[in-house]
Amino acid sequence: MSVVSFEFLGFLAALAVVYYVLPMRVRKWALLAGSAAFWLLCGWQGAAYLTAETLLIWGCARLMGRFSERRGVCRALLIGGMVTVFGAMVLMKALSQLQALPDGLLVPIGLSYFTFQSVGYLIDVYRGKVTPEKNYAKVLLFAGFFPQMTQGPITTWKQLMPQLDSPHRLSPNGFVSGVFLMAWGFFKKLVIADRLMPAVSVLVATAQELPGWLVLATAAMYAIVLYADFSGGIDIIRGAAEMLGIDLPENFRRPFFAASIADYWRRWHISLGSWFKEYLYFPLGGSRTGTLRTLRNLLLVWLATGLWHGASWNFILWGLHFFVWLMLEKYLLRDFLQKLPSWLRHFYTLVVVFVGWGVFAMED
């Protein structure tokens, strides 16, 4: 079920009515029931996959709690859980890309998002930041809260679960704010992204026949369309959650106003960047292990970020493109950029960003 559909709006309206009519003590279970209905409407295979994955994650976390004094056992549970769910995700995506999935089997909606969210919970349990949840239904609701299923944002247990677990009274201001946020998201997706995408697709498909300046202009238009589509979807998702009293984190913060590539990536797909920083970059040692290891750690993060989008060379090159520019800024260009006027720093950032998204778009 697409968030840009009358079916989604009807589903959300019906759930909101039921949610606020029910007694407060059972409203979280209305969210779970509504989320389960959403999964089933999107395909029973995806619902079965999500259920199996969260059962595995919940079981591993519970066993970690039981064997908390035995770090070797906990580490084995963590590695086993991560290898299983990430392996299944990669296998599903690879088979889909090769068009080798068995007939009738589809990649579950939101596969990457609920997998990363579930693994983040398991890592937090291993680190002792989160107490293993006894109630499986809560873990299922956390991983599969329906507005997030299509585009994120990726949240942590401490960000989301206390909100899902608490009763929410109807707030007229919050409800109206959610409606307006959804309307803004629909505008960005339907009026900007969907109107421009056909022309951009034609230009991308014929890029090798275009003069260089028009290729760069095409990359710029593609980046703008992608932003309008992705951030518009996130606005719809956050607005829908806000109507139910749930505050999801911001995922885009005016990225095209950034004054450096590092600044850009603090503003674009914020939840994904935060996930890689918290659960990959810092465990590798971050920037505390010397220059060469810092370079290695960042390279692995950007290769992973590219592969997140797909196992194609354009995505890997896209990740390497931004890795190189971030390293140039970190080690060579920082003082030079600070001396430039602000408009020139913005211009430099936009050119590098647009070229990057051009690499992303052009699969050939």
Side-chain angles (χ1 to χ4, degrees):
M1 184 192 304
S2 170
V3 296
V4 188
S5 65
F6 288 113
E7 290 84 359
F8 180 79
L9 290 176
F11 174 85
L12 177 63
L15 179 59
V17 170
V18 172
Y19 180 74
Y20 286 116
V21 166
L22 287 173
M24 294 185 68
R25 66 180 181 277
V26 299
R27 286 180 181 174
K28 62 185 174 186
W29 305 124
L31 288 180
L32 178 59
S35 296
F38 182 85
W39 313 328
L40 290 169
L41 288 170
C42 293
W44 69 266
Q45 301 99 328
Y49 186 104
L50 173 64
T51 303
E53 180 177 297
T54 49
L55 269 172
L56 174 66
I57 293 293
W58 173 75
C60 288
R62 293 281 286 141
L63 288 171
M64 282 183 188
R66 181 172 299 179
F67 297 103
S68 59
E69 300 301 320
R70 300 174 63 180
R71 296 305 290 171
V73 174
C74 292
R75 188 178 299 110
L77 289 165
L78 174 67
I79 294 172
M82 291 175 60
V83 168
T84 301
V85 297
F86 277 141
M89 179 185 75
V90 171
L91 179 62
M92 289 286 290
K93 289 194 168 191
L95 290 175
S96 175
Q97 191 163 344
L98 295 171
Q99 298 182 341
L101 283 173
D103 291 341
L105 184 62
L106 301 173
V107 175
I109 185 172
L111 173 61
S112 297
Y113 294 102
F114 68 71
T115 296
F116 272 52
Q117 192 150 304
S118 300
V119 169
Y121 162 72
L122 188 63
I123 295 173
D124 284 344
V125 170
Y126 174 78
R127 292 175 172 175
K129 291 184 175 181
V130 170
T131 302
E133 176 56 55
K134 296 180 180 180
N135 190 335
Y136 164 68
K138 290 185 179 181
V139 176
L140 182 61
L141 176 58
F142 164 72
F145 181 46
F146 78 95
Q148 295 177 272
M149 291 294 288
T150 54
Q151 291 182 273
I154 303 167
T155 52
T156 65
W157 181 270
K158 286 187 174 182
Q159 282 177 318
L160 184 59
M161 198 60 222
Q163 297 187 73
L164 296 175
D165 206 20
S166 302
H168 295 280
R169 298 183 183 276
L170 175 61
S171 167
N173 290 338
F175 194 90
V176 171
S177 174
V179 170
F180 275 103
L181 187 56
M182 287 187 71
W184 178 233
F186 279 116
F187 175 82
K188 285 197 281 189
K189 280 185 73 72
L190 298 177
V191 178
I192 301 176
D194 287 1
R195 299 284 75 78
L196 291 177
M197 182 54 81
V200 172
S201 298
V202 171
L203 289 169
V204 169
T206 59
Q208 61 183 359
E209 303 169 8
L210 302 177
W213 69 269
L214 189 50
V215 173
L216 182 58
T218 299
M221 287 188 288
Y222 178 83
I224 292 167
V225 167
L226 188 66
Y227 169 73
D229 183 72
F230 196 2
S231 70
I234 291 292
D235 288 343
I236 295 170
I237 289 163
R238 293 183 65 229
E242 192 170 344
M243 290 170 64
L244 299 169
I246 308 296
D247 182 26
L248 294 177
E250 191 176 18
N251 213 27
F252 293 90
R253 192 177 299 121
R254 302 172 68 197
F256 294 138
F257 286 84
S260 68
I261 305 305
D263 187 27
Y264 176 81
W265 282 106
R266 286 190 289 267
R267 297 164 174 261
W268 178 281
H269 208 340
I270 298 168
S271 65
L272 180 63
S274 298
W275 196 97
F276 277 122
K277 181 186 294 183
E278 180 68 25
Y279 299 114
L280 181 57
Y281 181 62
F282 288 157
L284 288 171
S287 59
R288 303 185 305 275
T289 53
T291 301
L292 289 179
R293 289 190 177 182
T294 299
L295 289 169
R296 179 207 63 182
N297 297 343
L298 288 167
L299 176 61
L300 290 174
V301 167
W302 279 99
L303 286 174
T305 305
L307 289 170
W308 152 277
H309 294 91
S312 297
W313 282 110
N314 59 308
F315 300 130
I316 296 171
L317 292 172
W318 170 85
L320 291 174
H321 168 83
F322 282 109
F323 164 75
V324 168
W325 279 102
L326 285 165
M327 293 307 93
L328 288 172
E329 285 189 358
K330 184 177 181 68
Y331 293 109
L332 295 177
L333 300 179
R334 180 167 49 190
D335 293 338
F336 171 74
L337 289 174
Q338 290 177 350
K339 296 175 183 178
L340 296 177
S342 59
W343 70 268
L344 196 51
R345 293 200 302 272
H346 288 297
F347 179 76
Y348 141 80
T349 302
L350 289 178
V351 171
V352 174
V353 165
F354 292 157
V355 169
W357 286 116
V359 172
F360 186 95
M362 297 172 190
E363 298 180 9
D364 186 342

